[in-house]
Amino acid sequence: MQIRAIVLYSPAGAVRTLPFRLNAPNVITGRSKTGKTAILHIIDYCCGRGECLIPRGVIRDHVAWYALLLQFPEGQLFVARRNPPANPPRRGSSNAIDTSPDVYHSIAANIEPPPLATLVPNITVDGLTNLLTQMNGIAPNEHIPPEGHTRLPLRGTIDHAKFLLFQSQNDIQNEGYLFHRQNEEFIPNAIRDTLPYFLGAVPDDTIQVRARLRERRSELLRLSRSQAEAIRIATESSDAALGLLAEAVSSGLAERPSTNEFQAVVAALRSAMTQQQIRLPADRGEVVRLQDEQVRLRGLLQSLQNQQAQARAYNAATAEYSVEATLQAGRLEAINLLGRMDGGTDHCPLCQSTLETPVPGVDDLRDSLTRLQTDLEGVATRRPRVDDRIAELEAEIGQARRELVNVREAIAAAQTVPQADADDAGQRGYVRGRISMFLDNLPTAPPAGNRAVRIEELKAEIAGLEESLTDETERAEADSILTRISRWMTKWAEDLKMEWQPHQHRLDISLLTVVAETEPRPTRMIQMGGAENWLGCHLIAHMALQRWFAQENRPVPRFLYLDQLTGAFYPPETEAGVRERALVHAMYKWLFAALEESENRFQLIIVDHADLNEQWFQDAVVEKWWGETDGLIKWEWRTGIQRMPLNPSA
């Protein structure tokens, strides 16, 4: 997006057009109080700014509508906003926003400014913001603050891109901040959060990737819950299924499967629902087999309980030994015997008197302490393994008890089956009824094999998506881009003969400033000193950003607005000296050369007092406002008098 023209409408319907050239420098030069500074606010207001900051007075008194004719690759957009009322309604305080909700727009291949009477509001301010966001190619994007931050996620729009387009007279020579409106509350964080997207460090499909990540996480959660539910079902229902299977086998409705796995048991029960009779229940072979299994399980349970008792006894003994051994080791170390027994084993270690019975030697005591420490380490090492074994035995004992209960129930069921009548259909119907109730209340789940494979696939995909969205990935890409941009900034700092060249100059996103890589530590813009240095930092940073945006086709409007950039060399209405004129000449020469070096891929709009007597400068001048009747607002609008041409014969 570039600006083809600014259009003003008087209350009477007169039209004032201020044209601009595309992909070229545009200079408006003139004296103070001619409306130069208002141009920035007109552009901002027509691009969706909530509050109208166009200066009150001559401009607001003589303009009914402000408009922009915007050029896009595919056509033109005409946007007009009504001038806010002279006396806006006060909503109980002096903080009422000075604005108008009335917006008109039209889109076509070529547009001529329409008459005032046709400017009927047809879009809201929010709608205009969305339209400009879309037409500039700003894809849906979202910055998620790191964990621990309280600010909400932020989506970059045309409102955030405008921070990168304007340099007002208060911005351009400020040592403390680099970007437009950076001194306002919340704006610095908004710039930090959205600049990586505009640079291209954040992929345009980030929103879609985050949505896909949410979907995959949701699917993984659902399948994981299904997996856990299947395990729970298998655990809780296994005992009941085995009992029913025993009844079905005793009734002659089923044969025992080769394994007691839950799915195999359920399959046998389903088969029992359709079987008439496999064998006569009078066969006592099943009862005998169950009784043998009962004896085996009782022996297993007794063995497991004995092992558990032995493990617990061992733990108790080692705990008692550990306490005693620790106390003994403490005694040997607490009285510091080892360092004082150098008088032999037949002398008292305290008073050195002769003893009838020799005391243990130093080496003996050291060996004793070493053995105690080694034993204590062994106890500490073996204790966790014993605890783990006790827990395993507890689980095995519980399983054996459950199996024993099932076998007892199966024996009771088999023994209660009527033996007198092998064809007792009522008994089989009773068993089938119980099996049917069990199967009907059995929750269903996807096949375990397919589910497990899908869970692993989802985990791998989620890991990849998370990796692509990490702050480290974004930061690394942003650093790479800023390194390339810094090459242009460093070269241009040398071209402008800035004080801190030839040191590398770079843009620091976290600090939102320019940094020179000096020794022994980097020098920030605020530390550089001198308005010429501050101005140079602003120019090389913003020209480099615009060059990058254009070169990489990033979704940022293709213009840079610079307001009163020669204020660093001489104040308004003050005659410049020889040195100042030379510096201004060099600065403009560099600006135009840097634009050519960027292949004229964006538009420069400069409003200034400077009016260089050079053809290359004059070729860039759009309008001059040096006469008493010159300015943004026409003389006729201000006075109601038709201005006569300077040459009567013209």
Side-chain angles (χ1 to χ4, degrees):
M1 180 183 87
Q2 296 188 30
I3 301 173
R4 184 168 286 278
I6 293 176
V7 182
L8 307 179
Y9 291 86
S10 75
V15 178
R16 159 80 158 109
T17 301
L18 179 59
F20 295 102
R21 290 184 287 268
L22 307 179
N23 299 309
N26 297 264
V27 178
I28 298 173
T29 178
R31 58 186 176 84
S32 297
K33 300 180 181 180
T34 53
K36 297 191 303 296
T37 298
I39 293 175
L40 183 153
H41 299 301
I42 292 173
I43 297 173
D44 197 9
Y45 184 57
C46 289
C47 285
R49 179 74 182 267
E51 183 177 8
C52 179
L53 298 179
I54 301 169
R56 293 177 178 272
V58 174
I59 300 175
R60 297 279 288 271
D61 292 344
H62 296 90
V63 175
W65 286 72
Y66 308 93
L68 293 179
L69 181 57
L70 301 173
Q71 184 68 50
F72 291 87
E74 62 277 9
Q76 295 180 350
L77 169 66
F78 183 82
V79 177
R81 286 193 71 177
R82 190 190 301 275
N83 189 23
N87 297 306
R90 303 177 68 88
R91 288 175 286 184
S93 71
S94 59
N95 297 325
I97 297 178
D98 188 11
T99 188
S100 171
D102 296 339
V103 185
Y104 168 86
H105 83 290
S106 63
I107 302 175
N110 292 285
I111 299 176
E112 290 295 329
L116 175 64
T118 64
L119 300 183
V120 178
N122 59 4
I123 192 172
T124 65
V125 176
D126 289 341
L128 173 63
T129 298
N130 293 334
L131 177 64
L132 290 173
T133 298
Q134 295 170 8
M135 293 189 69
N136 278 282
I138 301 175
N141 61 89
E142 186 175 46
H143 173 81
I144 306 295
E147 291 186 8
H149 290 253
T150 57
R151 64 183 188 273
L152 298 174
L154 180 66
R155 295 195 175 192
T157 67
I158 188 64
D159 288 338
H160 304 96
K162 288 190 295 183
F163 300 141
L164 314 174
L165 307 178
F166 298 123
Q167 285 285 283
S168 71
Q169 60 182 336
N170 294 325
D171 300 329
I172 203 164
Q173 298 165 30
N174 192 290
E175 74 277 23
Y177 55 87
L178 183 65
F179 293 96
H180 184 55
R181 300 179 60 191
Q182 186 180 331
N183 61 326
E184 298 180 23
E185 188 177 14
F186 306 123
I187 299 299
N189 279 335
I191 297 173
R192 291 188 190 97
D193 291 347
T194 56
L195 184 54
Y197 166 75
F198 289 121
L199 287 171
V202 180
D204 290 341
D205 63 346
T206 298
I207 287 287
Q208 290 81 359
V209 172
R210 285 202 176 101
R212 189 159 62 251
L213 179 59
R214 285 193 295 269
E215 292 173 359
R216 297 300 182 266
R217 283 174 173 168
S218 177
E219 184 180 358
L220 177 61
L221 179 61
R222 178 175 55 80
L223 289 179
S224 297
R225 287 175 175 173
S226 176
Q227 181 93 323
E229 180 67 9
I231 294 173
R232 185 190 66 79
I233 292 169
T235 301
E236 295 180 357
S237 303
S238 178
D239 296 344
L242 287 171
L244 287 173
L245 179 62
E247 292 185 37
V249 171
S250 298
S251 300
L253 295 175
E255 291 183 339
R256 183 170 296 277
S258 58
T259 176
N260 281 343
E261 290 185 0
F262 181 67
Q263 296 299 332
V265 173
V266 170
L269 292 177
R270 294 188 189 280
S271 176
M273 295 297 295
T274 59
Q275 290 288 347
Q276 294 300 318
Q277 188 176 18
I278 293 176
R279 62 175 176 78
L280 293 177
D283 186 357
R284 303 296 297 172
E286 178 66 12
V287 175
V288 173
R289 189 194 68 78
L290 290 172
Q291 289 172 340
D292 291 342
E293 178 68 8
Q294 185 180 41
V295 172
R296 186 190 70 81
L297 288 173
R298 285 173 177 168
L300 175 62
L301 181 60
Q302 184 63 45
S303 174
L304 293 173
Q305 289 173 335
N306 290 339
Q307 293 180 47
Q308 187 183 53
Q310 292 172 2
R312 286 175 174 167
Y314 174 82
N315 257 1
T318 55
E320 183 177 353
Y321 171 77
S322 177
V323 171
E324 292 298 330
T326 301
L327 291 174
Q328 179 64 15
R331 293 189 194 103
L332 290 175
E333 293 177 348
I335 61 176
N336 203 16
L337 291 175
L338 299 182
R340 299 176 57 180
M341 291 185 62
D342 52 3
T345 62
D346 56 350
H347 288 79
C348 175
L350 299 177
C351 64
Q352 299 299 318
S353 60
T354 303
L355 300 173
E356 294 181 2
T357 303
V359 297
V362 173
D363 292 338
D364 294 333
L365 290 174
R366 283 179 178 154
D367 290 343
S368 177
L369 180 58
T370 300
R371 285 194 301 273
L372 283 173
Q373 290 174 337
T374 301
D375 290 345
L376 286 172
E377 290 175 359
V379 169
T381 302
R382 290 189 294 272
R383 181 66 180 268
R385 294 200 295 268
V386 175
D387 289 340
D388 291 342
R389 180 54 183 161
I390 291 174
E392 292 175 0
L393 289 169
E394 186 68 31
E396 292 175 9
I397 289 171
Q399 179 64 25
R401 283 173 174 166
R402 287 193 297 271
E403 291 181 5
L404 189 58
V405 169
N406 292 335
V407 169
R408 287 172 180 166
E409 292 178 352
I411 292 174
Q415 290 175 339
T416 57
V417 173
Q419 300 296 320
D421 188 359
D423 297 323
D424 188 353
Q427 177 62 27
R428 292 194 296 274
Y430 170 74
V431 174
R432 281 199 184 99
R434 294 187 63 199
I435 294 174
S436 176
M437 181 177 296
F438 172 80
L439 294 175
D440 290 343
N441 290 281
L442 188 66
T444 58
N450 296 341
R451 183 173 54 233
V453 171
R454 181 56 180 161
I455 286 175
E456 293 305 316
E457 292 176 349
L458 287 172
K459 288 180 178 178
E461 184 177 1
I462 288 171
L465 293 173
E466 289 176 339
E467 177 65 23
S468 69
L469 294 174
T470 60
D471 292 338
E472 290 75 14
T473 302
E474 177 182 319
R475 191 177 301 111
E477 184 63 26
D479 288 344
S480 174
I481 293 171
L482 293 176
T483 298
R484 284 173 276 178
I485 290 176
S486 72
R487 298 192 190 110
W488 301 331
M489 295 174 60
T490 302
K491 175 184 178 298
W492 289 341
E494 295 177 3
D495 294 344
L496 287 172
K497 297 180 172 57
M498 292 173 60
E499 181 177 352
W500 298 97
Q501 58 90 20
H503 296 290
Q504 180 192 14
H505 285 62
R506 62 177 177 84
L507 178 62
D508 190 311
I509 292 183
S510 61
L511 299 176
L512 297 181
T513 191
V514 172
V515 175
E517 293 294 345
T518 55
E519 294 295 342
R521 61 182 58 88
T523 300
R524 291 178 287 130
M525 179 174 67
I526 197 172
Q527 300 168 322
M528 292 182 181
E532 293 177 20
N533 287 320
W534 305 333
L535 173 62
C537 287
H538 282 257
L539 292 179
I540 63 175
H542 285 281
M543 288 293 288
L545 284 173
Q546 283 296 327
R547 179 175 179 177
W548 176 263
F549 296 149
Q551 173 182 299
E552 300 300 317
N553 196 30
R554 297 305 302 156
V556 180
R558 299 286 188 267
F559 71 86
L560 178 61
Y561 183 98
L562 305 174
D563 187 10
Q564 311 290 357
L565 56 121
T566 60
F569 304 103
Y570 55 92
E573 309 298 347
T574 301
E575 189 68 24
V578 175
R579 177 181 177 277
E580 285 76 12
R581 285 198 297 272
L583 290 173
V584 171
H585 182 283
M587 180 187 64
Y588 270 102
K589 193 73 174 176
W590 169 81
L591 265 176
F592 290 10
L595 182 60
E596 290 185 4
E597 189 177 332
S598 305
E599 301 179 0
N600 291 311
R601 290 182 174 180
F602 59 93
Q603 180 183 44
L604 265 180
I605 300 176
I606 305 171
V607 296
D608 200 5
H609 293 276
D611 188 8
L612 304 182
N613 190 22
E614 299 283 353
Q615 188 59 47
W616 53 267
F617 182 89
Q618 295 299 319
D619 289 342
V621 173
V622 175
E623 286 195 5
K624 294 186 177 185
W625 298 343
W626 288 102
E628 290 296 327
T629 60
D630 295 330
L632 179 63
I633 303 303
K634 287 186 174 183
W635 169 261
E636 294 85 350
W637 293 14
R638 286 181 277 165
T639 64
I641 302 173
Q642 186 68 31
R643 182 170 51 177
M644 298 298 294
L646 296 178
N647 184 359
S649 62

